[in-house]
Each structure stands twice: as C-alpha cells, then as structure tokens.
Amino acid sequence: TPFGVENSFLALALLSQYVLFEQIYLERMRAAQPHLNREELAEIFILCPSTDEQRHISEHVRHQSKKINTAIQIKQQQIEKLNEYKTTLINAAVTGKIKVTPG
C-alpha cells in the first residue's frame, strides 16, 4: 500500500472526528468560498499505526458496524410489526370486533 496506509483504514480516518471535523471542515471554512483543495488536503494529519493494526482496526469497525446494522434492521422490523398490530387493533375496535372499556 502506498505510504503504508491501508485504504479501508484511510477511509475510516478521513471520516473520524479528529480529521473530518477538527481538520477538514475547519480548513475548508477559512476561505470566503468554502472549499478544500489538494494542498490543504495534503496538510491533514492522520495517525497511522502499523499496517497490521490498521487492518485489525478496519476489520473491527466493519464487524461492529455489521452488528449495529443488523440490530437496527431488527428494530425497524419490530416497529413495522407493532404499527401493523396497532392498526389492526384500532380497526377491530372501530368495527366493534373487540370490546373497549374506558380507563
């Protein structure tokens, strides 16, 4: 890899808080017209551990992201089912198929 940086690690680093918000956005806003050119990008500091550690970090983030995305998908499915159940209950109550007593 060029410069000893794994592509997947570089992508994560560029989106990290300390690079994206504390370097890129700040640099971009210094001019009257917000922009980011090649020279400014070249001055960004990214801390790079060994390539083995970079691979390990990237794999860990990928694995955790997959778990989080799966959990989100499950919750979205549960919300959808609850909304369907709510609609069914409301329809049943309105049409008199179930008896609803106050309070």
Side-chain angles (χ1 to χ4, degrees), residues 55-65:
R55 284 188 209 106
H56 179 73
I57 291 167
S58 297
E59 183 56 38
H60 178 74
V61 170
R62 190 174 15 261
H63 177 71
Q64 294 301 319
S65 294

Side-chain angles (χ1 to χ4, degrees), residues 83-100:
N83 283 329
E84 289 173 11
Y85 181 62
K86 178 178 122 180
T87 301
T88 301
L89 281 177
I90 290 170
N91 288 338
V94 169
T95 59
K97 292 180 182 174
I98 60 171
K99 190 172 193 169
V100 180

Side-chain angles (χ1 to χ4, degrees), residues 7-93:
N7 290 336
S8 58
F9 179 81
L10 181 60
L12 290 172
L14 287 172
L15 293 173
S16 70
Q17 176 79 27
Y18 88 97
V19 173
L20 187 61
F21 294 105
E22 296 174 19
Q23 292 184 63
I24 293 176
Y25 285 173
L26 286 177
E27 190 65 41
R28 203 179 87 190
M29 296 310 232
R30 286 187 182 166
Q33 293 292 323
H35 69 290
L36 184 66
N37 63 35
R38 212 160 136 178
E39 291 78 23
E40 291 164 337
L41 192 57
E43 292 182 16
I44 290 174
F45 291 99
I46 297 176
L47 304 174
C48 295
S50 69
T51 53
D52 286 341
E53 287 181 274
Q54 290 176 37
R55 284 188 209 106
H56 179 73
I57 291 167
S58 297
E59 183 56 38
H60 178 74
V61 170
R62 190 174 15 261
H63 177 71
Q64 294 301 319
S65 294
K66 186 176 179 181
K67 286 171 49 177
I68 291 167
N69 289 336
T70 300
I72 290 170
Q73 185 178 28
I74 289 168
K75 292 299 176 190
Q76 288 172 332
Q77 290 170 350
Q78 290 172 340
I79 291 168
E80 188 177 312
K81 293 290 183 189
L82 286 171
N83 283 329
E84 289 173 11
Y85 181 62
K86 178 178 122 180
T87 301
T88 301
L89 281 177
I90 290 170
N91 288 338

